Amino acid sequence: MKRFQGKVAFVTGAASGIGLATMARLGREGAQVYAVDINAEQLAREAASLAGEGLAIRNLALDVTDEAACRAAIAACVAELGKLDVLCNIAGMALTKNFADVSAADWDRVMTVNTRSVFVLCQAAMPHLLETGGNIVNISSAAGLQGLPYNSAYCASKGAVLLLSKSLAAEFAGRGVRVNAVCPGAVDTPLVKDIQIPEGADMSLYGRMFPLTPYFAQAEEIAGAVAYLASDEARFITGSALVIDGGQTAI
């Protein structure tokens, strides 16, 4: 399929996991992808590999906690590629701690990476998306729909992303810009693999953190959902929360 032929997509968190899979998926479907990540070396390697397949990938090192840099990156994308059709906010971080051990600095870091960056990039991108009738796909989480133990900051940040997405969808539906969220559960990515169980955790509470199925989702499966929501096939979908969690939130 070439659903994104002639389209320009901006993808954050593109060096690994869901961001990398989305960069590859959109590129293979014909998009010019402007990919960003804080891990400049890994991003450059992955982008070069995809460019070797003939995909149109540009990459830029970006710390999404830097507001000025985020706004400049959107401006650079439009200046270099001429427009912006799709914004995919995928960069994020996890924090698993006993609530008593979550510092104000921890809280601020999670909210800045996971939530404020989404706000800043959506705001910077919106004038360009209004010009193209484009759309936004934000990565929320099943943890934005359902409380998980030892994840207070993460749940709060992802719940905020979901409601930010719905608010923007309502505000801009009549102006031709769609905004949707994807809510993955457990996905086989470095972010999930690096999660550490906090000291003294009640293991009986962990049952709700895993899917009913005996396996985790693959990043490519989530990227497929992102691509669908970003494509013209989903032209009547806005303000949605597409849950991909193996049944985690079904119980």
Side-chain angles (χ1 to χ4, degrees), residues 64-100:
V64 296
T65 68
D66 185 332
E67 178 183 353
C70 285
R71 295 185 186 279
I74 292 290
C77 172
V78 175
E80 293 177 31
L81 300 179
K83 61 174 182 170
L84 179 61
D85 298 286
V86 178
L87 170 63
C88 299
N89 282 306
I90 301 176
M93 65 170 289
L95 180 74
T96 305
K97 280 188 174 184
N98 288 295
F99 181 62

Side-chain angles (χ1 to χ4, degrees), residues 165-166 168-170 172-173 177-180 229 234-240:
S165 302
K166 287 180 174 290
L168 295 180
F172 290 97
V177 174
R178 298 184 298 108
V179 185
N180 290 292
L229 289 174
R235 69 179 184 86
F236 203 58
I237 301 176
T238 193
S240 73

Side-chain angles (χ1 to χ4, degrees), residues 83-148:
K83 61 174 182 170
L84 179 61
D85 298 286
V86 178
L87 170 63
C88 299
N89 282 306
I90 301 176
M93 65 170 289
L95 180 74
T96 305
K97 280 188 174 184
N98 288 295
F99 181 62
D101 296 330
V102 177
S103 68
D106 287 334
W107 181 274
D108 288 346
R109 175 69 177 169
V110 173
M111 296 300 291
T112 301
V113 173
N114 290 357
T115 307
R116 194 186 74 168
S117 70
V118 176
F119 154 70
V120 169
L121 286 162
C122 286
Q123 191 176 66
M126 190 60 74
H128 307 291
L129 297 173
L130 286 166
E131 291 182 2
T132 59
N135 70 88
I136 298 169
V137 182
N138 294 324
I139 296 295
S140 178
S141 173
L145 295 166
Q146 177 189 70
L148 297 179

Side-chain angles (χ1 to χ4, degrees), residues 113-213:
V113 173
N114 290 357
T115 307
R116 194 186 74 168
S117 70
V118 176
F119 154 70
V120 169
L121 286 162
C122 286
Q123 191 176 66
M126 190 60 74
H128 307 291
L129 297 173
L130 286 166
E131 291 182 2
T132 59
N135 70 88
I136 298 169
V137 182
N138 294 324
I139 296 295
S140 178
S141 173
L145 295 166
Q146 177 189 70
L148 297 179
Y150 314 113
N151 278 267
S152 54
Y154 185 73
C155 286
S157 71
K158 289 301 188 178
V161 168
L162 178 56
L163 285 180
L164 170 62
S165 302
K166 287 180 174 290
S167 177
L168 295 180
E171 183 170 345
F172 290 97
R175 300 177 67 185
V177 174
R178 298 184 298 108
V179 185
N180 290 292
V182 176
C183 300
V187 184
D188 187 11
T189 64
L191 183 145
V192 171
K193 289 178 179 177
D194 289 342
I195 290 175
Q196 300 292 319
I197 297 173
E199 183 178 354
D202 180 350
M203 296 306 295
S204 69
L205 301 177
Y206 268 86
R208 294 182 67 192
M209 296 186 69
F210 297 97
L212 300 180
T213 54

Side-chain angles (χ1 to χ4, degrees), residues 54-67:
L55 278 57
I57 308 289
R58 299 197 186 193
N59 67 93
L60 176 73
L62 178 66
D63 178 354
V64 296
T65 68
D66 185 332
E67 178 183 353

